[in-house]
Amino acid sequence: MSEKLKVGIIGAGGIASNVHLPNYIKQGDKVEITAVADVVKETAEACAEKFSIPYVYTDYEKMLEECELDAISVCTPNKFHAAAAIAALQAGCHVLCEKPPAMNVAEATAMAETARKHGKILTYGFHFRFAPEIMALKRFTAAGELGEIYAANIRAVRRRGIPGWGVFTNKELQGGGPLIDIGVHMLDAALYLMDYPEPESVFGATYQKIGNRKGVGLMGDWDWEGFSIEDMARGMIRFKNGASLILESAFAANVEKNDVMNVSLMGDKGGADAFPLKIYQEKHDSLIDISPAYLPKKGYHELEIEGFVNSCLTGEAPISTPGQGVVIQKIINGFYESAETGDAVKMDEIAQVKS
Ligand SMILES: NC(=O)c1ccc[n+]([C@@H]2O[C@H](COP(=O)([O-])OP(=O)(O)OC[C@H]3O[C@@H](n4cnc5c(N)ncnc54)[C@H](O)[C@@H]3O)[C@@H](O)[C@H]2O)c1
């Protein structure tokens, strides 16, 4: 590998241009942004011009063949994550792939296996792990301050926050709706804080009650006629260690707050809410709440890209691993299967069917 990490981008849309590229630039001398590929030529060219990227492609296979890259950000719609990540890993690149990992368990497993076979880093864009609240809470959970965490609630609920841009409402390209887009961030954060317990079963329900008709859009006018995803997902996950997690995620729901993102944990020695961070304990015959007077702050995305770049340069494992990607993908697919059939889905069965 050259002294600088030679980075390429696959998919030059919103997340690549607003998040990955500006944060690669912040890494200064460690990184050389070498090439960009997007199936839409104008998008690739506009991105290359904006970020002064020398090599531009409409075919990422060609980019991987010609550019001798060290690392790739996969920023395509979810349908193309697996193929792009696998091609990049096979070409000898480390990969930061946007979330969710893939469309199904078979793809997430193949991605993890390819990374292992080629000895390359594969990590996912779960940037909430880098939120100061989650990082602080992780220090508390790791120190045993909550004891055994046996219950969690997660919420990622918007009142009218259906994205009016991109392909977020297209099931064919994304594989799902708020569950895989915003719910997955809180789900990953909760699992991370709980040390990624092995899921046993999932029981879920999905709804499409608001997104498929015209209405007030706090995130722009969405394509309500082509709306093919759920607008709300609710369910429960049971883990093999006895813990359980209740999940609620919505792009649109008739609730008071415009946008709630939270992870709540309950352990036998303490509990916590992440946003805002508060820890609940019983000590010296008192019930006490701990809230931080100060939290170190750096952009979540900046820390995510910095972590990926450092991992590529030092070989240190990133905090989000390919195995965790498979676990979260199993939960997602199990959830949708349960929503469709109305029955709880056993994780062991989904692994057999889908991978
Ligand atoms: N971490 C976050 O909070 C966050 C936020 C937004 C989006 N995302 C994720 O980022 C990914 C992209 O989302 P976006 O909002 O940037 O979408 P987008 O539609 O703005 O951009 C995707 C780009 O990929 C290109 N593309 C499609 N197929 C391709 C292919 N086979 N090869 C190369 N380019 C291809 C499209 O032309 C488009 O320019 C999704 O996986 C999404 O879930 C993550």
Side-chain angles (χ1 to χ4, degrees), residues 10-16 37-40 43 58 60 74-78 80-81 98-100 125 127 165-168 174 181 185 301:
I10 302 181
I15 198 81
D38 195 294
V39 280
V40 179
T43 307
T58 50
Y60 64 75
V74 174
C75 299
T76 63
N78 305 337
F80 311 108
H81 283 186
E98 263 309 331
K99 45 50 64 172
H127 64 264
W165 68 92
V167 294
F168 296 96
Q174 288 291 84
D181 190 53
H185 278 303
H301 288 292

PDB file of all heavy atoms in Angstrom, residues 10-16 37-40 43 58 60 74-78 80-81 98-100 125 127 165-168 174 181 185 301, ligand 1:
ATOM      1  N   ILE A  10     -17.891   4.466  -4.539  1.00  0.00           N
ATOM      2  CA  ILE A  10     -18.873   3.829  -5.441  1.00  0.00           C
ATOM      3  C   ILE A  10     -20.251   4.366  -5.068  1.00  0.00           C
ATOM      4  O   ILE A  10     -20.737   4.113  -3.964  1.00  0.00           O
ATOM      5  CB  ILE A  10     -18.823   2.290  -5.337  1.00  0.00           C
ATOM      6  CG1 ILE A  10     -17.422   1.766  -5.674  1.00  0.00           C
ATOM      7  CG2 ILE A  10     -19.882   1.673  -6.254  1.00  0.00           C
ATOM      8  CD1 ILE A  10     -17.276   0.247  -5.622  1.00  0.00           C
ATOM      9  N   GLY A  11     -20.851   5.127  -5.988  1.00  0.00           N
ATOM     10  CA  GLY A  11     -22.136   5.784  -5.709  1.00  0.00           C
ATOM     11  C   GLY A  11     -21.865   7.192  -5.208  1.00  0.00           C
ATOM     12  O   GLY A  11     -21.437   7.367  -4.065  1.00  0.00           O
ATOM     13  N   ALA A  12     -22.101   8.184  -6.067  1.00  0.00           N
ATOM     14  CA  ALA A  12     -21.678   9.558  -5.742  1.00  0.00           C
ATOM     15  C   ALA A  12     -22.855  10.467  -5.389  1.00  0.00           C
ATOM     16  O   ALA A  12     -22.829  11.660  -5.669  1.00  0.00           O
ATOM     17  CB  ALA A  12     -20.902  10.132  -6.934  1.00  0.00           C
ATOM     18  N   GLY A  13     -23.898   9.903  -4.775  1.00  0.00           N
ATOM     19  CA  GLY A  13     -25.090  10.699  -4.439  1.00  0.00           C
ATOM     20  C   GLY A  13     -24.965  11.411  -3.113  1.00  0.00           C
ATOM     21  O   GLY A  13     -23.877  11.876  -2.732  1.00  0.00           O
ATOM     22  N   GLY A  14     -26.105  11.487  -2.399  1.00  0.00           N
ATOM     23  CA  GLY A  14     -26.199  12.292  -1.178  1.00  0.00           C
ATOM     24  C   GLY A  14     -25.174  11.965  -0.118  1.00  0.00           C
ATOM     25  O   GLY A  14     -24.394  12.823   0.302  1.00  0.00           O
ATOM     26  N   ILE A  15     -25.127  10.718   0.320  1.00  0.00           N
ATOM     27  CA  ILE A  15     -24.261  10.393   1.472  1.00  0.00           C
ATOM     28  C   ILE A  15     -22.779  10.490   1.095  1.00  0.00           C
ATOM     29  O   ILE A  15     -21.953  10.906   1.911  1.00  0.00           O
ATOM     30  CB  ILE A  15     -24.615   8.997   2.063  1.00  0.00           C
ATOM     31  CG1 ILE A  15     -24.058   8.839   3.483  1.00  0.00           C
ATOM     32  CG2 ILE A  15     -24.143   7.856   1.200  1.00  0.00           C
ATOM     33  CD1 ILE A  15     -24.860   9.462   4.546  1.00  0.00           C
ATOM     34  N   ALA A  16     -22.457  10.158  -0.151  1.00  0.00           N
ATOM     35  CA  ALA A  16     -21.055  10.266  -0.585  1.00  0.00           C
ATOM     36  C   ALA A  16     -20.618  11.726  -0.593  1.00  0.00           C
ATOM     37  O   ALA A  16     -19.564  12.082  -0.055  1.00  0.00           O
ATOM     38  CB  ALA A  16     -20.887   9.650  -1.978  1.00  0.00           C
ATOM     39  N   ALA A  37     -16.966   6.415  -8.898  1.00  0.00           N
ATOM     40  CA  ALA A  37     -17.792   5.734  -9.907  1.00  0.00           C
ATOM     41  C   ALA A  37     -19.262   5.908  -9.561  1.00  0.00           C
ATOM     42  O   ALA A  37     -19.657   5.746  -8.404  1.00  0.00           O
ATOM     43  CB  ALA A  37     -17.451   4.241  -9.946  1.00  0.00           C
ATOM     44  N   ASP A  38     -20.032   6.257 -10.577  1.00  0.00           N
ATOM     45  CA  ASP A  38     -21.488   6.310 -10.411  1.00  0.00           C
ATOM     46  C   ASP A  38     -22.091   5.919 -11.756  1.00  0.00           C
ATOM     47  O   ASP A  38     -21.586   6.353 -12.803  1.00  0.00           O
ATOM     48  CB  ASP A  38     -21.950   7.718 -10.006  1.00  0.00           C
ATOM     49  CG  ASP A  38     -23.386   7.717  -9.471  1.00  0.00           C
ATOM     50  OD1 ASP A  38     -24.329   7.424 -10.250  1.00  0.00           O
ATOM     51  OD2 ASP A  38     -23.567   7.995  -8.261  1.00  0.00           O
ATOM     52  N   VAL A  39     -23.164   5.146 -11.719  1.00  0.00           N
ATOM     53  CA  VAL A  39     -23.784   4.733 -12.982  1.00  0.00           C
ATOM     54  C   VAL A  39     -24.331   5.921 -13.763  1.00  0.00           C
ATOM     55  O   VAL A  39     -24.484   5.851 -14.982  1.00  0.00           O
ATOM     56  CB  VAL A  39     -24.920   3.696 -12.769  1.00  0.00           C
ATOM     57  CG1 VAL A  39     -24.363   2.308 -12.555  1.00  0.00           C
ATOM     58  CG2 VAL A  39     -25.864   4.099 -11.663  1.00  0.00           C
ATOM     59  N   VAL A  40     -24.621   6.993 -13.077  1.00  0.00           N
ATOM     60  CA  VAL A  40     -25.061   8.214 -13.772  1.00  0.00           C
ATOM     61  C   VAL A  40     -23.823   9.081 -14.005  1.00  0.00           C
ATOM     62  O   VAL A  40     -23.224   9.596 -13.062  1.00  0.00           O
ATOM     63  CB  VAL A  40     -26.135   8.968 -12.945  1.00  0.00           C
ATOM     64  CG1 VAL A  40     -26.572  10.233 -13.667  1.00  0.00           C
ATOM     65  CG2 VAL A  40     -27.332   8.070 -12.658  1.00  0.00           C
ATOM     66  N   THR A  43     -23.620  12.560 -12.510  1.00  0.00           N
ATOM     67  CA  THR A  43     -23.432  12.568 -11.042  1.00  0.00           C
ATOM     68  C   THR A  43     -21.966  12.326 -10.716  1.00  0.00           C
ATOM     69  O   THR A  43     -21.380  13.007  -9.865  1.00  0.00           O
ATOM     70  CB  THR A  43     -24.307  11.464 -10.377  1.00  0.00           C
ATOM     71  OG1 THR A  43     -25.644  11.633 -10.814  1.00  0.00           O
ATOM     72  CG2 THR A  43     -24.239  11.517  -8.872  1.00  0.00           C
ATOM     73  N   THR A  58     -18.136   5.280 -14.853  1.00  0.00           N
ATOM     74  CA  THR A  58     -19.541   4.890 -14.701  1.00  0.00           C
ATOM     75  C   THR A  58     -19.620   3.405 -14.340  1.00  0.00           C
ATOM     76  O   THR A  58     -20.681   2.913 -14.012  1.00  0.00           O
ATOM     77  CB  THR A  58     -20.342   5.134 -16.004  1.00  0.00           C
ATOM     78  OG1 THR A  58     -19.615   4.535 -17.081  1.00  0.00           O
ATOM     79  CG2 THR A  58     -20.557   6.607 -16.260  1.00  0.00           C
ATOM     80  N   TYR A  60     -17.904   0.661 -11.789  1.00  0.00           N
ATOM     81  CA  TYR A  60     -16.944   0.544 -10.683  1.00  0.00           C
ATOM     82  C   TYR A  60     -15.963  -0.617 -10.875  1.00  0.00           C
ATOM     83  O   TYR A  60     -14.856  -0.593 -10.362  1.00  0.00           O
ATOM     84  CB  TYR A  60     -17.658   0.478  -9.323  1.00  0.00           C
ATOM     85  CG  TYR A  60     -18.542  -0.726  -9.070  1.00  0.00           C
ATOM     86  CD1 TYR A  60     -18.023  -1.981  -8.789  1.00  0.00           C
ATOM     87  CD2 TYR A  60     -19.919  -0.585  -9.071  1.00  0.00           C
ATOM     88  CE1 TYR A  60     -18.844  -3.066  -8.553  1.00  0.00           C
ATOM     89  CE2 TYR A  60     -20.758  -1.669  -8.823  1.00  0.00           C
ATOM     90  CZ  TYR A  60     -20.206  -2.905  -8.562  1.00  0.00           C
ATOM     91  OH  TYR A  60     -21.016  -3.987  -8.321  1.00  0.00           O
ATOM     92  N   VAL A  74     -18.704   2.339  -0.136  1.00  0.00           N
ATOM     93  CA  VAL A  74     -19.851   1.917  -0.936  1.00  0.00           C
ATOM     94  C   VAL A  74     -21.054   2.759  -0.519  1.00  0.00           C
ATOM     95  O   VAL A  74     -21.542   2.648   0.610  1.00  0.00           O
ATOM     96  CB  VAL A  74     -20.148   0.409  -0.759  1.00  0.00           C
ATOM     97  CG1 VAL A  74     -21.439   0.025  -1.484  1.00  0.00           C
ATOM     98  CG2 VAL A  74     -18.987  -0.432  -1.266  1.00  0.00           C
ATOM     99  N   CYS A  75     -21.499   3.634  -1.404  1.00  0.00           N
ATOM    100  CA  CYS A  75     -22.570   4.598  -1.101  1.00  0.00           C
ATOM    101  C   CYS A  75     -23.704   4.497  -2.117  1.00  0.00           C
ATOM    102  O   CYS A  75     -24.315   5.502  -2.486  1.00  0.00           O
ATOM    103  CB  CYS A  75     -22.004   6.012  -1.101  1.00  0.00           C
ATOM    104  SG  CYS A  75     -20.728   6.280   0.122  1.00  0.00           S
ATOM    105  N   THR A  76     -23.958   3.308  -2.612  1.00  0.00           N
ATOM    106  CA  THR A  76     -25.054   3.088  -3.558  1.00  0.00           C
ATOM    107  C   THR A  76     -26.336   2.800  -2.780  1.00  0.00           C
ATOM    108  O   THR A  76     -26.289   2.532  -1.576  1.00  0.00           O
ATOM    109  CB  THR A  76     -24.779   1.844  -4.419  1.00  0.00           C
ATOM    110  OG1 THR A  76     -24.736   0.714  -3.534  1.00  0.00           O
ATOM    111  CG2 THR A  76     -23.468   1.946  -5.167  1.00  0.00           C
ATOM    112  N   PRO A  77     -27.495   2.786  -3.464  1.00  0.00           N
ATOM    113  CA  PRO A  77     -28.687   2.231  -2.815  1.00  0.00           C
ATOM    114  C   PRO A  77     -28.387   0.796  -2.329  1.00  0.00           C
ATOM    115  O   PRO A  77     -27.507   0.115  -2.878  1.00  0.00           O
ATOM    116  CB  PRO A  77     -29.732   2.245  -3.935  1.00  0.00           C
ATOM    117  CG  PRO A  77     -29.298   3.379  -4.828  1.00  0.00           C
ATOM    118  CD  PRO A  77     -27.799   3.336  -4.802  1.00  0.00           C
ATOM    119  N   ASN A  78     -29.147   0.367  -1.335  1.00  0.00           N
ATOM    120  CA  ASN A  78     -28.842  -0.899  -0.640  1.00  0.00           C
ATOM    121  C   ASN A  78     -28.784  -2.113  -1.572  1.00  0.00           C
ATOM    122  O   ASN A  78     -28.016  -3.047  -1.341  1.00  0.00           O
ATOM    123  CB  ASN A  78     -29.881  -1.141   0.449  1.00  0.00           C
ATOM    124  CG  ASN A  78     -29.962   0.038   1.401  1.00  0.00           C
ATOM    125  OD1 ASN A  78     -29.014   0.807   1.518  1.00  0.00           O
ATOM    126  ND2 ASN A  78     -31.095   0.205   2.064  1.00  0.00           N
ATOM    127  N   PHE A  80     -27.391  -2.552  -4.227  1.00  0.00           N
ATOM    128  CA  PHE A  80     -26.098  -2.765  -4.883  1.00  0.00           C
ATOM    129  C   PHE A  80     -24.936  -2.880  -3.896  1.00  0.00           C
ATOM    130  O   PHE A  80     -23.782  -3.011  -4.306  1.00  0.00           O
ATOM    131  CB  PHE A  80     -25.846  -1.633  -5.892  1.00  0.00           C
ATOM    132  CG  PHE A  80     -27.021  -1.400  -6.790  1.00  0.00           C
ATOM    133  CD1 PHE A  80     -27.818  -0.270  -6.642  1.00  0.00           C
ATOM    134  CD2 PHE A  80     -27.376  -2.342  -7.741  1.00  0.00           C
ATOM    135  CE1 PHE A  80     -28.940  -0.071  -7.446  1.00  0.00           C
ATOM    136  CE2 PHE A  80     -28.500  -2.156  -8.551  1.00  0.00           C
ATOM    137  CZ  PHE A  80     -29.284  -1.016  -8.401  1.00  0.00           C
ATOM    138  N   HIS A  81     -25.217  -2.810  -2.581  1.00  0.00           N
ATOM    139  CA  HIS A  81     -24.130  -2.871  -1.585  1.00  0.00           C
ATOM    140  C   HIS A  81     -23.281  -4.131  -1.731  1.00  0.00           C
ATOM    141  O   HIS A  81     -22.048  -4.061  -1.776  1.00  0.00           O
ATOM    142  CB  HIS A  81     -24.708  -2.865  -0.156  1.00  0.00           C
ATOM    143  CG  HIS A  81     -25.165  -1.518   0.320  1.00  0.00           C
ATOM    144  ND1 HIS A  81     -25.595  -1.301   1.611  1.00  0.00           N
ATOM    145  CD2 HIS A  81     -25.267  -0.320  -0.309  1.00  0.00           C
ATOM    146  CE1 HIS A  81     -25.938  -0.024   1.761  1.00  0.00           C
ATOM    147  NE2 HIS A  81     -25.758   0.588   0.598  1.00  0.00           N
ATOM    148  N   GLU A  98     -22.114   1.635   3.397  1.00  0.00           N
ATOM    149  CA  GLU A  98     -23.217   2.300   4.089  1.00  0.00           C
ATOM    150  C   GLU A  98     -24.190   1.273   4.669  1.00  0.00           C
ATOM    151  O   GLU A  98     -24.221   0.124   4.271  1.00  0.00           O
ATOM    152  CB  GLU A  98     -23.932   3.274   3.133  1.00  0.00           C
ATOM    153  CG  GLU A  98     -23.465   4.696   3.286  1.00  0.00           C
ATOM    154  CD  GLU A  98     -23.484   5.206   4.747  1.00  0.00           C
ATOM    155  OE1 GLU A  98     -24.301   4.745   5.557  1.00  0.00           O
ATOM    156  OE2 GLU A  98     -22.659   6.069   5.080  1.00  0.00           O
ATOM    157  N   LYS A  99     -24.987   1.720   5.609  1.00  0.00           N
ATOM    158  CA  LYS A  99     -25.973   0.858   6.236  1.00  0.00           C
ATOM    159  C   LYS A  99     -27.281   0.908   5.469  1.00  0.00           C
ATOM    160  O   LYS A  99     -27.504   1.894   4.768  1.00  0.00           O
ATOM    161  CB  LYS A  99     -26.209   1.217   7.705  1.00  0.00           C
ATOM    162  CG  LYS A  99     -26.360   2.711   8.036  1.00  0.00           C
ATOM    163  CD  LYS A  99     -27.292   3.612   7.282  1.00  0.00           C
ATOM    164  CE  LYS A  99     -28.759   3.392   7.314  1.00  0.00           C
ATOM    165  NZ  LYS A  99     -29.528   4.458   6.675  1.00  0.00           N
ATOM    166  N   PRO A 100     -28.150  -0.099   5.582  1.00  0.00           N
ATOM    167  CA  PRO A 100     -27.937  -1.386   6.250  1.00  0.00           C
ATOM    168  C   PRO A 100     -26.945  -2.210   5.438  1.00  0.00           C
ATOM    169  O   PRO A 100     -26.680  -1.878   4.274  1.00  0.00           O
ATOM    170  CB  PRO A 100     -29.338  -2.010   6.207  1.00  0.00           C
ATOM    171  CG  PRO A 100     -29.928  -1.471   4.947  1.00  0.00           C
ATOM    172  CD  PRO A 100     -29.421  -0.061   4.839  1.00  0.00           C
ATOM    173  N   GLY A 125     -21.550   1.747   7.937  1.00  0.00           N
ATOM    174  CA  GLY A 125     -21.761   3.154   8.308  1.00  0.00           C
ATOM    175  C   GLY A 125     -22.754   3.365   9.442  1.00  0.00           C
ATOM    176  O   GLY A 125     -23.691   4.140   9.300  1.00  0.00           O
ATOM    177  N   HIS A 127     -23.026   5.270  12.090  1.00  0.00           N
ATOM    178  CA  HIS A 127     -22.308   6.397  12.679  1.00  0.00           C
ATOM    179  C   HIS A 127     -22.778   6.773  14.077  1.00  0.00           C
ATOM    180  O   HIS A 127     -22.081   7.488  14.786  1.00  0.00           O
ATOM    181  CB  HIS A 127     -22.347   7.607  11.745  1.00  0.00           C
ATOM    182  CG  HIS A 127     -23.720   8.150  11.520  1.00  0.00           C
ATOM    183  ND1 HIS A 127     -24.487   7.812  10.450  1.00  0.00           N
ATOM    184  CD2 HIS A 127     -24.465   9.002  12.265  1.00  0.00           C
ATOM    185  CE1 HIS A 127     -25.649   8.434  10.527  1.00  0.00           C
ATOM    186  NE2 HIS A 127     -25.661   9.157  11.624  1.00  0.00           N
ATOM    187  N   TRP A 165     -36.465  13.083  -1.139  1.00  0.00           N
ATOM    188  CA  TRP A 165     -35.413  12.956  -2.156  1.00  0.00           C
ATOM    189  C   TRP A 165     -34.897  11.513  -2.121  1.00  0.00           C
ATOM    190  O   TRP A 165     -35.261  10.746  -1.227  1.00  0.00           O
ATOM    191  CB  TRP A 165     -34.274  13.943  -1.845  1.00  0.00           C
ATOM    192  CG  TRP A 165     -33.525  13.591  -0.596  1.00  0.00           C
ATOM    193  CD1 TRP A 165     -32.405  12.822  -0.498  1.00  0.00           C
ATOM    194  CD2 TRP A 165     -33.879  13.931   0.753  1.00  0.00           C
ATOM    195  NE1 TRP A 165     -32.030  12.672   0.818  1.00  0.00           N
ATOM    196  CE2 TRP A 165     -32.909  13.343   1.601  1.00  0.00           C
ATOM    197  CE3 TRP A 165     -34.921  14.673   1.335  1.00  0.00           C
ATOM    198  CZ2 TRP A 165     -32.957  13.475   2.995  1.00  0.00           C
ATOM    199  CZ3 TRP A 165     -34.956  14.797   2.722  1.00  0.00           C
ATOM    200  CH2 TRP A 165     -33.980  14.218   3.524  1.00  0.00           C
ATOM    201  N   GLY A 166     -34.038  11.189  -3.074  1.00  0.00           N
ATOM    202  CA  GLY A 166     -33.378   9.882  -3.058  1.00  0.00           C
ATOM    203  C   GLY A 166     -34.344   8.732  -3.275  1.00  0.00           C
ATOM    204  O   GLY A 166     -35.447   8.909  -3.821  1.00  0.00           O
ATOM    205  N   VAL A 167     -33.931   7.538  -2.851  1.00  0.00           N
ATOM    206  CA  VAL A 167     -34.721   6.328  -3.135  1.00  0.00           C
ATOM    207  C   VAL A 167     -35.231   5.680  -1.840  1.00  0.00           C
ATOM    208  O   VAL A 167     -35.521   4.493  -1.800  1.00  0.00           O
ATOM    209  CB  VAL A 167     -33.883   5.320  -3.962  1.00  0.00           C
ATOM    210  CG1 VAL A 167     -33.579   5.878  -5.341  1.00  0.00           C
ATOM    211  CG2 VAL A 167     -32.590   4.917  -3.255  1.00  0.00           C
ATOM    212  N   PHE A 168     -35.354   6.495  -0.792  1.00  0.00           N
ATOM    213  CA  PHE A 168     -35.708   5.963   0.528  1.00  0.00           C
ATOM    214  C   PHE A 168     -37.073   5.282   0.583  1.00  0.00           C
ATOM    215  O   PHE A 168     -37.330   4.491   1.473  1.00  0.00           O
ATOM    216  CB  PHE A 168     -35.685   7.091   1.569  1.00  0.00           C
ATOM    217  CG  PHE A 168     -34.326   7.683   1.779  1.00  0.00           C
ATOM    218  CD1 PHE A 168     -33.938   8.835   1.106  1.00  0.00           C
ATOM    219  CD2 PHE A 168     -33.426   7.084   2.639  1.00  0.00           C
ATOM    220  CE1 PHE A 168     -32.685   9.382   1.301  1.00  0.00           C
ATOM    221  CE2 PHE A 168     -32.168   7.630   2.842  1.00  0.00           C
ATOM    222  CZ  PHE A 168     -31.795   8.771   2.171  1.00  0.00           C
ATOM    223  N   GLN A 174     -34.167  -0.332  -1.857  1.00  0.00           N
ATOM    224  CA  GLN A 174     -33.677  -0.178  -0.487  1.00  0.00           C
ATOM    225  C   GLN A 174     -33.939  -1.408   0.390  1.00  0.00           C
ATOM    226  O   GLN A 174     -33.275  -1.589   1.407  1.00  0.00           O
ATOM    227  CB  GLN A 174     -34.330   1.044   0.176  1.00  0.00           C
ATOM    228  CG  GLN A 174     -33.827   2.378  -0.363  1.00  0.00           C
ATOM    229  CD  GLN A 174     -32.391   2.667   0.029  1.00  0.00           C
ATOM    230  OE1 GLN A 174     -31.470   2.211  -0.640  1.00  0.00           O
ATOM    231  NE2 GLN A 174     -32.172   3.398   1.110  1.00  0.00           N
ATOM    232  N   ASP A 181     -33.704   2.153   7.589  1.00  0.00           N
ATOM    233  CA  ASP A 181     -33.042   3.440   7.357  1.00  0.00           C
ATOM    234  C   ASP A 181     -32.667   4.144   8.661  1.00  0.00           C
ATOM    235  O   ASP A 181     -31.500   4.464   8.876  1.00  0.00           O
ATOM    236  CB  ASP A 181     -33.936   4.343   6.494  1.00  0.00           C
ATOM    237  CG  ASP A 181     -33.169   5.578   6.052  1.00  0.00           C
ATOM    238  OD1 ASP A 181     -32.075   5.393   5.481  1.00  0.00           O
ATOM    239  OD2 ASP A 181     -33.609   6.705   6.314  1.00  0.00           O
ATOM    240  N   HIS A 185     -30.144   2.325  12.869  1.00  0.00           N
ATOM    241  CA  HIS A 185     -29.101   3.040  13.623  1.00  0.00           C
ATOM    242  C   HIS A 185     -29.290   2.832  15.127  1.00  0.00           C
ATOM    243  O   HIS A 185     -28.328   2.576  15.860  1.00  0.00           O
ATOM    244  CB  HIS A 185     -29.177   4.546  13.339  1.00  0.00           C
ATOM    245  CG  HIS A 185     -28.491   4.954  12.074  1.00  0.00           C
ATOM    246  ND1 HIS A 185     -27.173   4.688  11.821  1.00  0.00           N
ATOM    247  CD2 HIS A 185     -28.941   5.647  10.994  1.00  0.00           C
ATOM    248  CE1 HIS A 185     -26.839   5.193  10.635  1.00  0.00           C
ATOM    249  NE2 HIS A 185     -27.892   5.763  10.118  1.00  0.00           N
ATOM    250  N   HIS A 301     -19.918  11.540  11.924  1.00  0.00           N
ATOM    251  CA  HIS A 301     -19.429  11.041  10.640  1.00  0.00           C
ATOM    252  C   HIS A 301     -17.916  11.219  10.520  1.00  0.00           C
ATOM    253  O   HIS A 301     -17.239  10.373   9.944  1.00  0.00           O
ATOM    254  CB  HIS A 301     -20.123  11.770   9.488  1.00  0.00           C
ATOM    255  CG  HIS A 301     -21.560  11.379   9.324  1.00  0.00           C
ATOM    256  ND1 HIS A 301     -21.934  10.130   8.910  1.00  0.00           N
ATOM    257  CD2 HIS A 301     -22.700  12.065   9.508  1.00  0.00           C
ATOM    258  CE1 HIS A 301     -23.257  10.067   8.837  1.00  0.00           C
ATOM    259  NE2 HIS A 301     -23.743  11.223   9.208  1.00  0.00           N
TER     260      HIS A 301
HETATM  261  N1  LIG B   1     -25.479   6.815   7.483  1.00  0.00           N
HETATM  262  C1  LIG B   1     -26.592   7.493   7.242  1.00  0.00           C
HETATM  263  O1  LIG B   1     -27.179   8.106   8.099  1.00  0.00           O
HETATM  264  C2  LIG B   1     -27.139   7.492   5.843  1.00  0.00           C
HETATM  265  C3  LIG B   1     -27.892   8.574   5.376  1.00  0.00           C
HETATM  266  C4  LIG B   1     -28.371   8.533   4.065  1.00  0.00           C
HETATM  267  C5  LIG B   1     -28.131   7.425   3.264  1.00  0.00           C
HETATM  268  N2  LIG B   1     -27.416   6.376   3.761  1.00  0.00           N
HETATM  269  C6  LIG B   1     -27.164   5.181   2.941  1.00  0.00           C
HETATM  270  O2  LIG B   1     -26.314   5.557   1.865  1.00  0.00           O
HETATM  271  C7  LIG B   1     -26.646   4.806   0.698  1.00  0.00           C
HETATM  272  C8  LIG B   1     -26.900   5.761  -0.449  1.00  0.00           C
HETATM  273  O3  LIG B   1     -27.902   6.666  -0.079  1.00  0.00           O
HETATM  274  P1  LIG B   1     -27.968   8.140  -0.709  1.00  0.00           P
HETATM  275  O4  LIG B   1     -28.951   8.881   0.098  1.00  0.00           O
HETATM  276  O5  LIG B   1     -26.622   8.689  -0.913  1.00  0.00           O
HETATM  277  O6  LIG B   1     -28.622   7.765  -2.128  1.00  0.00           O
HETATM  278  P2  LIG B   1     -28.533   8.591  -3.491  1.00  0.00           P
HETATM  279  O7  LIG B   1     -29.631   8.072  -4.332  1.00  0.00           O
HETATM  280  O8  LIG B   1     -28.448  10.053  -3.205  1.00  0.00           O
HETATM  281  O9  LIG B   1     -27.112   8.149  -4.108  1.00  0.00           O
HETATM  282  C9  LIG B   1     -26.841   6.859  -4.541  1.00  0.00           C
HETATM  283  C10 LIG B   1     -25.983   6.966  -5.807  1.00  0.00           C
HETATM  284  O10 LIG B   1     -25.588   5.648  -6.193  1.00  0.00           O
HETATM  285  C11 LIG B   1     -25.606   5.604  -7.614  1.00  0.00           C
HETATM  286  N3  LIG B   1     -25.656   4.213  -8.034  1.00  0.00           N
HETATM  287  C12 LIG B   1     -26.745   3.402  -8.109  1.00  0.00           C
HETATM  288  N4  LIG B   1     -26.354   2.171  -8.498  1.00  0.00           N
HETATM  289  C13 LIG B   1     -25.022   2.216  -8.683  1.00  0.00           C
HETATM  290  C14 LIG B   1     -24.066   1.267  -9.083  1.00  0.00           C
HETATM  291  N5  LIG B   1     -24.411   0.002  -9.365  1.00  0.00           N
HETATM  292  N6  LIG B   1     -22.762   1.648  -9.189  1.00  0.00           N
HETATM  293  C15 LIG B   1     -22.399   2.914  -8.903  1.00  0.00           C
HETATM  294  N7  LIG B   1     -23.286   3.870  -8.519  1.00  0.00           N
HETATM  295  C16 LIG B   1     -24.563   3.517  -8.386  1.00  0.00           C
HETATM  296  C17 LIG B   1     -26.804   6.443  -8.001  1.00  0.00           C
HETATM  297  O11 LIG B   1     -26.719   6.879  -9.334  1.00  0.00           O
HETATM  298  C18 LIG B   1     -26.712   7.569  -6.993  1.00  0.00           C
HETATM  299  O12 LIG B   1     -25.982   8.678  -7.498  1.00  0.00           O
HETATM  300  C19 LIG B   1     -27.824   3.928   1.079  1.00  0.00           C
HETATM  301  O13 LIG B   1     -27.322   2.665   1.446  1.00  0.00           O
HETATM  302  C20 LIG B   1     -28.413   4.603   2.308  1.00  0.00           C
HETATM  303  O14 LIG B   1     -29.051   3.698   3.192  1.00  0.00           O
HETATM  304  C21 LIG B   1     -26.907   6.411   5.013  1.00  0.00           C
END
